Amino acid sequence: QASSEYLEVERRYNYTTPKTFLDLIELYKAMLGAKREEVRVLRVRLESGLFKMESAAEQVVTLQARLVVEMEIVREMNDSANSVLEKVSAETAKADAEKEAA
């Protein structure tokens, strides 16, 4: 009734939107906001995980370099210990030979 009068007076149509459609739009907006927040949280977690992985990779590189240096030191100490062991073995054999000769 009012729409017909409006059309006659203003020469424009009057459209009405059902409340259920407006409720649907509100629900969509709420769900969209929730999904955006969920994606934001997941993005933060992903960025944090990537940062930790990069940090771990840097630490691995540092530790590998340190390991190479320390392995060289251990090798030198091992060679030194082997030479001392050879000297001690030779001295022991010499002492045993002198002991049997006496």
Side-chain angles (χ1 to χ4, degrees):
Q1 184 70 310
S3 293
S4 300
E5 290 176 17
Y6 184 75
L7 177 61
E8 288 177 15
V9 173
E10 297 292 327
R11 301 184 87 125
R12 300 176 92 187
Y13 287 96
N14 179 29
Y15 297 102
T16 58
T17 305
K19 181 164 179 16
T20 55
F21 184 70
L22 295 174
D23 290 341
L24 175 68
I25 291 173
E26 287 299 317
L27 175 64
Y28 176 78
K29 286 169 55 177
M31 290 176 68
L32 180 63
K35 278 294 183 185
R36 282 184 177 163
E37 178 62 21
E38 183 181 328
V39 168
R40 186 193 66 78
V41 168
L42 290 175
R43 189 186 76 228
V44 167
R45 285 182 58 200
L46 178 64
E47 288 172 351
S48 174
L50 289 174
F51 175 75
K52 288 178 183 178
M53 288 178 68
E54 288 174 359
S55 173
E58 291 172 2
Q59 288 177 354
V60 165
V61 169
T62 303
L63 289 174
Q64 284 178 335
R66 194 168 123 199
L67 179 64
V68 168
V69 171
E70 289 182 2
M71 286 294 289
E72 186 60 36
I73 292 171
V74 167
R75 187 176 303 119
E76 290 173 4
M77 292 176 78
N78 195 14
D79 291 343
S80 165
N82 285 339
S83 68
V84 169
L85 181 63
E86 288 174 5
K87 288 179 184 176
V88 169
S89 295
E91 301 245 346
T92 303
K94 184 179 175 184
D96 285 344
E98 287 179 5
K99 183 178 176 184
E100 287 184 15

